[in-house]
Amino acid sequence: MIEFIDGQLAEWPLARENYQALGRTERRSLQLGDLTVGIQHNPARIVSTAAKTDAKTLAERPCFLCGKNRPPQQIGVEIAEGWELLLNPYPIFPTHFTIVSKEHQPQEGFPLDMVKMAEKLPGHTVFFNGKRAGASCPDHLHCQAVKTHELPLMKLIEKIHKLEAGRVATDKSLGLDMPFGFKSIIITPNLDGMSELAKIEETIGAEFISEGLLNAFVWIDDDGLLRICAVPRSKHRPSCYGSEEGQRLISPGCIDMTGVLIAPLKKDYDTLTDEEVRKIYKECGI
Ligand SMILES: [Zn+2]
């Protein structure tokens, strides 16, 4: 993977500049109950945060995840049947992949192939933004992957949710003080685990999957156990969303919901209060 990233950075000036700029991003942290939240000032992410995803805009632009429209420097590597791994040119972390379906098809369902991807990417979390929960390209099925240790929620779950507490747990059953709810599922490598995986959509909540109001995460933890986390959403953008005076250009997707809140604008980064961040999470989560 390192050779793949280095190769792409050597060939592709846009990606190189954005990964270099990432090293200069400011970050500060705050504590919301049991969740440690890092706010990242990341100006390049404005392309995603402010992305228009209405049907008209989507119909009028060439899909940037389709092979024929991608920049010539962007190389795809097959990671599972029907899926290609690409370097994300607008990174939030030093390792940030987009994993795209080879077919142009809508961002729907809960792709179980994420399990195969997680097995191929040890140390990484593969995640999926539902079409109404942060996907900036809702017309082309895709996931992303970053290093698990970058994601505060995944680290918290690994620490708190042990198998003794049951294979399925919630923030409440784990006794956590969280600004939003989640489900954590451990898939054991045996028959019970397989039957748990077979009914995963029911466990996560079929209504959130069908409505596209879901942030889902799949990873293999340090003990080799397959983990799935589901963060159901009530909506994509908080009521304060906007770039005007008194508004916030904050548009939470999967990474934000793990506790890394992306602020493309310096004024938001500088002035967001703990109470506002809590309210944003409460509004967007369940
Ligand atoms: Zn496409």
Side-chain angles (χ1 to χ4, degrees):
M1 278 308 150
I2 293 183
E3 297 91 78
F4 171 71
I5 296 173
D6 287 349
Q8 284 288 272
L9 296 182
E11 293 292 318
W12 191 7
L14 167 77
R16 185 167 62 243
E17 278 161 32
N18 285 338
Y19 278 83
Q20 280 169 353
L22 189 62
R24 300 190 293 272
T25 56
E26 294 172 276
R27 191 157 164 178
R28 66 180 170 93
S29 62
L30 52 95
Q31 196 67 32
L32 296 182
D34 286 307
L35 184 69
T36 305
V37 177
I39 306 180
Q40 186 190 87
H41 174 221
N42 189 333
R45 288 292 299 182
I46 197 151
V47 290
S48 178
T49 300
K52 284 192 180 159
T53 54
D54 59 282
K56 186 167 181 287
T57 306
L58 294 179
E60 284 172 2
R61 61 112 171 89
C63 171
F64 59 88
L65 294 183
C66 272
K68 63 179 193 291
N69 302 323
R70 280 183 223 147
Q73 301 95 334
Q74 192 173 29
I75 306 292
V77 182
E78 187 172 271
I79 180 113
E81 202 187 333
W83 296 89
E84 274 183 297
L85 176 121
L86 311 169
L87 187 69
N88 187 327
Y90 300 101
I92 292 173
F93 299 114
T95 301
H96 193 161
F97 301 115
T98 309
I99 302 171
V100 303
S101 160
K102 288 184 181 174
E103 305 265 319
H104 182 84
Q105 55 178 313
Q107 182 82 337
E108 282 171 357
F110 169 75
L112 256 189
D113 284 345
M114 289 165 79
V115 172
K116 292 183 204 157
M117 299 171 200
E119 284 167 350
K120 284 271 189 72
L121 292 168
H124 293 73
T125 293
V126 179
F127 55 90
F128 175 81
N129 281 313
K131 63 175 184 281
R132 293 165 63 203
S136 57
C137 189
D139 54 341
H140 192 126
L141 185 63
H142 67 286
C143 312
Q144 297 174 64
V146 302
K147 292 267 173 78
T148 301
H149 69 79
E150 305 274 17
L151 304 174
L153 180 60
M154 276 64 252
K155 298 318 288 176
L156 179 65
I157 286 173
E158 284 185 10
K159 195 171 121 202
I160 301 285
H161 184 192
K162 301 293 181 194
L163 210 44
E164 300 83 72
R167 273 192 294 270
V168 181
T170 66
D171 53 300
K172 291 221 164 54
S173 76
L174 296 167
L176 292 172
D177 173 10
M178 291 285 296
F180 56 87
F182 67 81
K183 265 189 188 158
S184 165
I185 301 123
I186 300 176
I187 306 290
T188 47
N190 55 17
L191 262 180
D192 287 347
M194 292 309 106
S195 57
E196 191 68 62
L197 193 57
K199 62 179 177 68
I200 191 73
E201 296 202 0
E202 197 186 312
T203 306
I204 289 173
E207 69 278 21
F208 294 109
I209 296 175
S210 62
E211 292 294 319
L213 286 166
L214 177 73
N215 298 128
F217 306 83
V218 179
W219 75 106
I220 312 275
D221 71 13
D222 291 342
D223 298 325
L225 287 173
L226 175 66
R227 288 180 179 265
I228 296 175
C229 169
V231 177
R233 300 282 298 265
S234 65
K235 59 178 174 180
H236 176 202
R237 286 171 169 156
S239 54
C240 62
Y241 176 82
S243 52
E244 304 292 315
E245 184 80 35
Q247 294 183 314
R248 300 298 191 183
L249 204 66
I250 301 287
S251 191
C254 278
I255 289 180
D256 306 80
M257 297 311 278
T258 71
V260 179
L261 196 73
I262 306 304
L265 301 183
K266 176 82 170 137
K267 70 152 179 99
D268 293 335
Y269 174 79
D270 284 339
T271 60
L272 266 170
T273 64
D274 294 18
E275 263 331 290
E276 280 180 283
V277 175
R278 182 182 290 277
K279 185 161 178 262
I280 289 170
Y281 277 128
K282 262 190 126 155
E283 264 186 36
C284 293
I286 300 282

CSV table of all heavy atoms in Angstrom, one decimal, residues 63 66 104 140, ligand 1:
chain,number,residue,atom,x,y,z
A,63,CYS,N,-19.6,12.1,-13.7
A,63,CYS,CA,-19.4,11.5,-12.4
A,63,CYS,C,-17.9,11.3,-12.2
A,63,CYS,O,-17.2,10.6,-13.0
A,63,CYS,CB,-20.1,10.1,-12.4
A,63,CYS,SG,-19.6,9.2,-11.0
A,66,CYS,N,-16.5,7.6,-11.9
A,66,CYS,CA,-16.5,6.7,-13.1
A,66,CYS,C,-15.1,6.6,-13.7
A,66,CYS,O,-14.4,7.7,-13.9
A,66,CYS,CB,-17.5,7.1,-14.1
A,66,CYS,SG,-19.1,6.4,-13.9
A,104,HIS,N,-21.2,2.2,-12.5
A,104,HIS,CA,-21.9,3.4,-12.1
A,104,HIS,C,-23.3,3.0,-11.6
A,104,HIS,O,-24.2,2.7,-12.3
A,104,HIS,CB,-22.0,4.4,-13.2
A,104,HIS,CG,-22.7,5.7,-12.8
A,104,HIS,ND1,-22.0,6.7,-12.2
A,104,HIS,CD2,-23.9,6.1,-12.9
A,104,HIS,CE1,-22.8,7.7,-12.0
A,104,HIS,NE2,-24.0,7.4,-12.3
A,140,HIS,N,-22.8,7.2,-7.3
A,140,HIS,CA,-21.8,6.2,-7.7
A,140,HIS,C,-21.4,5.5,-6.4
A,140,HIS,O,-20.8,6.1,-5.5
A,140,HIS,CB,-20.6,6.8,-8.4
A,140,HIS,CG,-19.7,5.7,-9.0
A,140,HIS,ND1,-19.4,5.8,-10.3
A,140,HIS,CD2,-19.2,4.6,-8.5
A,140,HIS,CE1,-18.6,4.7,-10.6
A,140,HIS,NE2,-18.5,4.0,-9.5
B,1,ZN,ZN,-20.0,7.1,-11.8
